Amino acid sequence: MTLVITTATQKEMKAVLLGFNRRGKIGCKFPSLGNYCELPVNEKLCLLAVTGVGPVNAALSIGRILGERKDVTGVLSLGVAGSFDLEQAPLCSAVVADSEIWPEYGLHTAEGIDPEGITFPILEYTGVTGTVSVWDRIALEPEKACRMLNLSVPKDLLKGASMTVSGVTGTEERARMLIERYEPLTENMEGFSLALACLQAGIPFLELRTISNLVGSRKPEHWKLDDALQALGEKARELFV
């Protein structure tokens, strides 16, 4: 089993490594943006990949890895995210994605984006009930992914819909619109691309992120990035117990 562990940034990857070994160091050259290196974690062969920020970087990075490495059996996406609701997902809590949403796909109309408005789905595949079309949402099964990847289910598992965006939500007005239309719990910038790649490849995908901020707010009291990074390392370690 070869597991790909992705983060968007080197800062997030260093936080993960601190969680693993409390030193933030590895026995190979630290992966630069868009690259990866091999590292055994609790007897599991892992590829550490720093994808770069955003859905395009994530797609390019995971596409390259899956093209070069035919031994990959799953992908674990780790990082920080924004919370749309601090009561449900407080700062520094960990959320596992049970679906990924891409709100920017489809036809722009006066009422918003119609994902089926251009008539071309992002992906079609054969499911247990026949042909499945993927438009702007991918359903995920985190518990099943943990079992298939031989990872431990995190303590106090909090699940929710994760939304992937190209531009971070910077206003309360946009945050409210996204909540009303899509009901997401968290916001990230890479998850949908990674989930789609795994769906295409037929391999399990697990996404866990810790909450660094309130979506739509720039107030200092709604941001705890350093604490969220520390929590990320702790939760990453729990997965490999």
Side-chain angles (χ1 to χ4, degrees):
M1 176 179 287
T2 301
L3 175 65
V4 178
I5 301 176
T6 72
T7 64
T9 65
Q10 289 186 324
K11 181 175 287 190
E12 288 164 306
M13 185 61 77
K14 288 177 181 177
V16 169
L17 292 170
L18 281 170
F20 286 160
N21 60 30
R22 294 178 173 81
R23 292 182 296 114
K25 297 179 180 179
I26 53 180
C28 64
K29 185 177 180 181
F30 196 88
S32 57
L33 241 57
N35 291 308
Y36 63 92
C37 70
E38 291 188 3
L39 179 75
V41 180
N42 280 15
E43 300 181 356
K44 293 182 179 70
L45 176 60
C46 296
L47 305 180
L48 305 185
V50 178
T51 66
V53 174
V56 175
N57 275 329
L60 289 170
S61 181
I62 197 63
R64 176 187 170 196
I65 293 170
L66 294 178
E68 293 179 355
R69 299 290 300 247
K70 303 305 181 184
D71 57 333
V72 171
T73 51
V75 174
L76 169 62
S77 174
L78 300 172
V80 297
S83 170
F84 282 93
D85 185 341
L86 291 182
E87 290 189 4
Q88 289 189 62
L91 293 174
C92 302
S93 64
V95 180
V96 174
D98 61 13
S99 64
E100 263 295 348
I101 305 163
W102 190 20
E104 294 151 1
Y105 182 81
L107 179 69
H108 285 256
T109 72
E111 290 74 36
I113 297 178
D114 176 6
E116 301 183 28
I118 58 175
T119 72
F120 295 102
I122 294 175
L123 175 68
E124 287 186 329
Y125 66 96
T126 302
V128 293
T129 59
T131 301
V132 179
S133 297
V134 175
W135 299 96
D136 63 346
R137 191 180 295 257
I138 298 173
L140 301 172
E141 299 178 279
E143 292 96 342
K144 181 180 179 180
C146 280
R147 292 194 302 270
M148 294 179 70
L149 298 173
N150 195 25
L151 297 172
S152 300
V153 177
K155 298 174 183 176
D156 304 319
L157 180 65
L158 174 62
K159 297 185 293 183
S162 180
M163 173 172 285
T164 298
V165 294
S166 298
V168 172
T169 298
T171 66
E172 295 179 4
E173 291 76 16
R174 177 165 173 79
R176 282 196 296 268
M177 181 274 291
L178 293 173
I179 292 170
E180 291 171 3
R181 190 169 181 85
Y182 299 98
E183 298 184 338
L185 181 57
T186 62
E187 180 180 83
N188 78 91
M189 299 182 73
E190 299 80 29
F192 190 94
S193 296
L194 299 171
L196 182 64
C198 291
L199 186 59
Q200 288 179 317
I203 58 177
F205 172 72
L206 180 68
E207 180 178 8
L208 182 148
R209 293 175 181 266
T210 51
I211 301 303
S212 59
N213 63 284
L214 174 64
V215 175
S217 174
R218 311 308 293 175
K219 297 177 181 177
E221 61 267 29
H222 290 154
W223 282 78
K224 286 190 176 181
L225 178 58
D226 290 342
D227 292 342
L229 289 169
Q230 181 178 341
L232 177 63
E234 295 168 356
K235 285 298 177 181
R237 185 170 63 249
E238 283 184 21
L239 289 170
F240 287 83
V241 172

